[in-house]
Amino acid sequence: MTNPHQTTRYNPTELTDEELVARANRELLHTTVAYEELMRRYQRTLFNVCARYLGNDRDADDVCQEVMLKVLHGLRHFEGKSKFKTWLYSITYNECITQYRKEKRKRRLMDALSLDQDESEEVVESSINIVTDRASLDRWLVHVNQVDREILVLRFVAELEFQEIADIMHMGLSATKMRYKRALEKLRKSIDNPF
């Protein structure tokens, strides 16, 4: 009688996606042969989809790594109601959207702070971290009062338009824009003179 946990030798390139998913579910934690074959099959297309969506190879590579990790950890929950390929690209699409929004927030903050492209890498990195790293965001936002902080968070984190922010905060549009501008000035000064 054969041991149910014993893995039989097979050629993963000869199996369908569905067979590989089934094997990966049985093998994971012991071996990753089937999982690796699934990723090998889709790696190039996955990267191309991400690169075209995001517009650069660096972000595409980051997203691909994140997708592969999500597949590795989520494979046991994949029920096969859709094709593996469909499930994979659904994860990819969601990760691309997340990355795109993060990059959009970075660009919006850079524009708002009017940082020149020639400014030092360190200053630029500090500014970028304001919206991408929660601890950094909290650290920089202590330089503004509560109302201004809420406006900045709604603008950069929630990505709301000024009219939406004004409606939420029960303020006039011009008052919202003025407070936003003043809050940015304070933020800019604290970035230029961190100590």
Side-chain angles (χ1 to χ4, degrees):
M1 186 161 185
T2 61
N3 183 343
H5 296 293
Q6 182 179 11
T7 56
T8 56
R9 295 177 74 70
Y10 62 94
N11 184 348
T13 60
E14 295 174 356
L15 301 179
T16 66
D17 289 352
E18 289 72 24
E19 291 169 327
L20 285 169
V21 167
R23 281 202 174 261
N25 277 325
R26 288 194 303 270
E27 292 174 355
L28 280 176
L29 301 180
H30 305 292
T31 181
T32 58
V33 174
Y35 164 78
E36 287 173 23
E37 173 60 21
L38 281 166
M39 293 300 93
R40 187 199 61 73
R41 282 183 188 180
Y42 292 100
Q43 186 174 8
R44 184 180 301 262
T45 310
L46 192 63
F47 179 82
N48 289 336
V49 165
C50 292
R52 281 175 179 77
Y53 187 89
L54 298 168
N56 70 75
D57 290 355
R58 182 183 50 83
D59 288 341
D61 193 49
D62 290 347
V63 168
C64 284
Q65 297 301 320
E66 190 63 34
V67 168
M68 287 193 253
L69 279 172
K70 289 205 169 184
V71 170
L72 177 65
H73 296 297
L75 207 50
R76 64 176 32 123
H77 303 294
F78 175 65
E79 298 173 350
K81 291 179 181 173
S82 63
K83 289 184 177 182
F84 171 78
K85 182 178 181 179
T86 305
W87 181 68
L88 174 67
Y89 286 118
S90 173
I91 293 170
T92 305
Y93 174 73
N94 289 330
E95 286 303 309
C96 282
I97 288 175
T98 300
Q99 181 67 26
Y100 177 78
R101 287 179 179 156
K102 189 162 55 168
E103 289 301 313
K104 188 173 162 188
R105 280 197 301 268
K106 288 179 189 179
R107 283 191 301 276
R108 184 180 283 171
L109 180 65
M110 297 294 280
D111 291 343
L113 293 174
S114 300
L115 289 172
D116 296 332
Q117 294 302 321
D118 298 334
E119 295 226 28
S120 74
E121 235 7 77
E122 192 175 330
V123 173
V124 172
E125 276 303 312
S126 295
S127 302
I128 288 171
N129 285 340
I130 290 174
V131 290
T132 57
D133 173 29
R134 183 155 182 84
S136 296
L137 176 63
D138 293 341
R139 186 177 72 239
W140 289 108
L141 287 178
V142 298
H143 298 283
V144 296
N145 66 41
Q146 182 64 34
V147 175
D148 294 344
R149 184 179 306 128
E150 289 169 11
I151 291 171
L152 290 171
V153 168
L154 289 173
R155 181 73 174 153
F156 292 120
V157 179
E159 299 179 344
L160 297 179
E161 297 301 322
F162 287 115
Q163 186 60 60
E164 295 170 308
I165 296 168
D167 293 344
I168 289 169
M169 299 191 70
H170 307 290
M171 294 171 63
L173 181 59
S174 59
T176 302
K177 287 181 178 178
M178 182 64 74
R179 291 202 75 137
Y180 169 78
K181 189 175 178 182
R182 281 196 216 132
L184 275 183
E185 246 344 284
K186 288 179 189 171
L187 212 52
R188 189 181 296 115
K189 285 177 186 169
S190 68
I191 288 171
D192 290 342
N193 304 297
F195 301 108

